[in-house]
Amino acid sequence: MAVKTMNKSKEYLERDEKYVNQVLARYSPTVIERGQGTYLYNMEGEKFLDFGCGIAVTNIGHCHPKVVEAIQKQAEKLLHVSVTAYHPNYIDLAEKLVEITPKSLDSVFLTNSGAEAVEGAIKMARYVTGRPAIINFRGSFHGRTYLCASLTTSKLYYRDMGEPLAPSIHTVPFPYEYQMGKSAEEAMEETFEYIDMLFHQFVNPKQIAAFLIEPVLGEGGYVAAPKGFLSRLKKLAQEHGILLIADEVQTGFGRSGKMFAVEHDNVEPDIMTMAKGIAAGMPLAAFISRKELTSKWPAARHGTTYGGNPVSCAAALANIQVIQEEKLVERAAETGARMLKRLKKFAEGKKHIAEVRGLGMLIGIEFKNEQGKPCKDWAEKVAQRCLEQKMIVLTCGQQGQVIRLIPPLNISPAEEEEAMTILEKALS
Ligand SMILES: Cc1ncc(COP(=O)(O)O)c(C=O)c1O
């Protein structure tokens, strides 16, 4: 995104170009030195309102004092042990995750990143079912490793890593009402009809290990599955002995206005992946399943050197405590609903705004051009205008035609007002 480059950052940007693999694209051309609460500060000391949260990671804001303290204390005691032995934080965190996830999920594996969590979940699903195939959904994002990129269809450039991609992956439509031009009911019907066709013409359901789904498409445009969709999918999965894997990497830890987005549909997936909001920015992720399934996966069939690092686990425990004590799940539902209502009202009659949608504090604004087609230019222009007014906003969507608002769950009313004012100006 072309914006003015600030002076002190400039030297770093030049050295970045010289020494860093430029495949790593960054959204904003500035160098961030520190973060506090809802704000990031660059090398020039300029303050940015952060509505990107490092892509939905810093759900409790930057450098929350309770998390910083937990990290400092743990860093003095033990930095690493891996599978050499057990450590208490791993077990404490596993117990906590069992407590806050849907009831039937009771067996945790910790990893470093969302992609590793998805890879682990798929590997386990294949092992325990003895089936090879996976059904994924059009427009979803599951990570950048070889298997995860093969499972990702949000944008071509994630998959554009050279054929052949991983085999036995069957992609079905996600019930994206606006894109399909259909009601929720009709969009769901289209998806289930497609799955039915798949079962009769492409793949025997007995070959399918799992459905893999994001309850809300993240990178694919902030599109929540219509109410009732996940529960119907779970029912279908059960009829065929297929597992349901919910990828909650972006939606977890209060982001959707529930601790996990599957709760909106009262669905208990067989496996659930989580990352991002788990540890306030420290590298950590997890997949959780039922003991009854994980006990079919013999010891040492999977492992990790760094996953479940003691410092990351300490950060996660403090982070979850903050989410619970400060009632941030409830707060996300309230603040998100208020922002959504205001933005929907503001969008009325604006011909380039195709749709404003959201669940909790996952809010997407989709843009269209004069012909009614997805419009990336508008999304980029709005994000750029926000940046010029010192507010960070990220884009998403299958053609980059959506801006996504993912602020910390604990933004203050003043910060909310500041953001809405900047956004309304940028959108005008
Ligand atoms: C839904 C979803 N799954 C998986 C991933 C991959 O996570 P990571 O980047 O930590 O590997 C992401 C990252 O954006 C995601 O949004």
Side-chain angles (χ1 to χ4, degrees):
M1 193 187 296
V3 291
K4 214 173 81 202
T5 304
M6 295 82 177
N7 291 341
K8 278 193 205 160
S9 296
K10 201 163 169 257
E11 187 215 321
Y12 273 95
L13 296 184
E14 282 163 8
R15 283 167 58 216
D16 182 276
E17 204 171 328
K18 191 165 170 196
Y19 298 116
V20 177
N21 187 330
Q22 294 299 302
V23 75
L24 187 67
R26 263 65 63 94
Y27 282 92
S28 325
T30 188
V31 184
I32 299 299
E33 199 170 43
R34 70 185 180 90
Q36 194 62 58
T38 310
Y39 293 94
L40 285 170
Y41 299 81
N42 70 6
M43 308 240 13
E44 289 74 25
E46 287 175 307
K47 186 176 167 187
F48 293 85
L49 188 60
D50 185 10
F51 263 51
C53 276
I55 320 189
V57 169
T58 51
N59 285 8
I60 62 167
H62 292 281
C63 297
H64 193 291
K66 288 195 176 147
V67 173
V68 173
E69 191 191 341
I71 291 171
Q72 284 169 338
K73 271 196 185 150
Q74 183 57 44
E76 284 170 11
K77 275 199 293 196
L78 178 72
L79 291 178
H80 177 77
V81 66
S82 187
V83 289
T84 309
Y86 298 82
H87 71 82
N89 294 5
Y90 195 116
I91 301 156
D92 288 343
L93 180 59
E95 187 177 358
K96 192 72 192 169
L97 293 177
V98 167
E99 179 198 310
I100 64 171
T101 50
K103 221 169 170 192
S104 56
L105 302 175
D106 58 1
S107 183
V108 174
F109 188 100
L110 299 177
T111 70
N112 302 286
S113 67
E116 278 178 72
V118 174
E119 290 256 353
I122 299 283
K123 187 170 160 186
M124 191 186 96
R126 285 184 167 148
Y127 193 98
V128 303
T129 60
R131 300 171 174 197
I134 304 293
I135 293 186
N136 64 339
F137 287 81
R138 196 164 67 213
S140 38
F141 181 88
H142 298 291
R144 296 166 176 91
T145 56
Y146 176 68
L147 175 60
C148 290
S150 303
L151 291 161
T152 287
T153 56
S154 59
K155 283 189 187 79
L156 178 67
Y157 61 61
Y158 294 119
R159 295 164 64 84
D160 206 9
M161 56 191 286
E163 301 283 345
L165 293 166
S168 293
I169 294 169
H170 302 274
T171 306
V172 303
F174 187 92
Y176 186 160
E177 297 156 52
Y178 175 75
Q179 194 180 60
M180 288 175 166
K182 295 193 161 153
S183 69
E185 207 46 53
E186 289 165 346
M188 283 204 268
E189 220 37 61
E190 180 169 324
T191 297
F192 285 108
E193 275 171 21
Y194 193 97
I195 296 172
D196 191 54
M197 181 279 295
L198 199 80
F199 286 177
H200 285 96
Q201 293 175 245
F202 281 80
V203 59
N204 186 333
K206 288 196 171 61
Q207 293 296 316
I208 298 167
F211 286 106
L212 170 66
I213 187 162
E214 288 172 273
V216 181
L217 287 185
E219 174 60 29
Y222 277 29
V223 189
K227 206 148 184 59
F229 179 76
L230 287 178
S231 42
R232 195 167 153 193
L233 188 65
K234 167 85 189 199
K235 195 162 164 276
L236 181 70
Q238 278 176 321
E239 278 165 25
H240 293 283
I242 299 170
L243 302 179
L244 177 65
I245 305 175
D247 183 350
E248 292 253 14
V249 165
Q250 188 149 172
T251 47
F253 299 94
R255 180 53 67 191
S256 76
K258 299 272 185 194
M259 187 59 93
F260 291 94
V262 288
E263 293 168 38
H264 289 281
D265 235 11
N266 285 322
V267 162
E268 305 235 347
D270 299 288
I271 311 177
M272 197 161 90
T273 60
M274 60 196 94
K276 293 189 185 284
I278 190 172
M282 292 294 284
L284 189 71
F287 58 99
I288 183 166
S289 183
R290 293 192 304 276
K291 241 310 157 282
E292 166 232 330
L293 286 175
T294 60
S295 61
K296 293 181 186 157
W297 209 18
R301 292 300 191 283
H302 198 54
T304 167
T305 299
Y306 296 113
N309 168 276
V311 184
S312 294
C313 289
L317 284 162
N319 175 56
I320 297 167
Q321 196 180 348
V322 170
I323 293 175
Q324 291 183 319
E325 281 176 2
E326 297 184 13
K327 301 204 176 330
L328 297 188
V329 180
E330 297 81 349
R331 198 157 146 187
E334 273 168 37
T335 316
R338 193 168 51 239
M339 290 198 308
L340 185 66
K341 192 170 164 205
R342 178 162 166 180
L343 287 167
K344 276 189 168 182
K345 182 131 191 45
F346 182 81
E348 280 170 15
K350 304 268 185 311
K351 65 177 180 166
H352 288 291
I353 300 181
E355 190 175 52
V356 179
R357 53 183 176 248
L359 198 59
M361 283 173 111
L362 285 157
I363 296 179
I365 306 177
E366 176 156 355
F367 295 92
K368 60 180 179 189
N369 63 17
E370 271 76 17
Q371 289 74 42
K373 300 272 185 259
C375 189
K376 178 182 178 190
D377 287 354
W378 269 89
E380 286 197 343
K381 209 172 279 178
V382 171
Q384 186 178 325
R385 281 190 187 166
C386 288
L387 191 60
E388 283 160 6
Q389 292 177 78
K390 306 284 180 285
M391 172 178 171
I392 291 179
V393 163
L394 309 180
T395 58
C396 63
Q398 295 158 23
Q399 297 182 40
Q401 79 280 22
V402 180
I403 59 167
R404 49 177 150 175
L405 307 176
I406 19 173
L409 311 183
N410 54 359
I411 53 166
S412 69
E415 290 162 349
E416 182 187 334
E417 184 55 38
E418 184 186 351
M420 289 296 107
T421 308
I422 294 176
L423 254 173
E424 285 170 0
K425 210 168 145 194
L427 287 165
S428 288

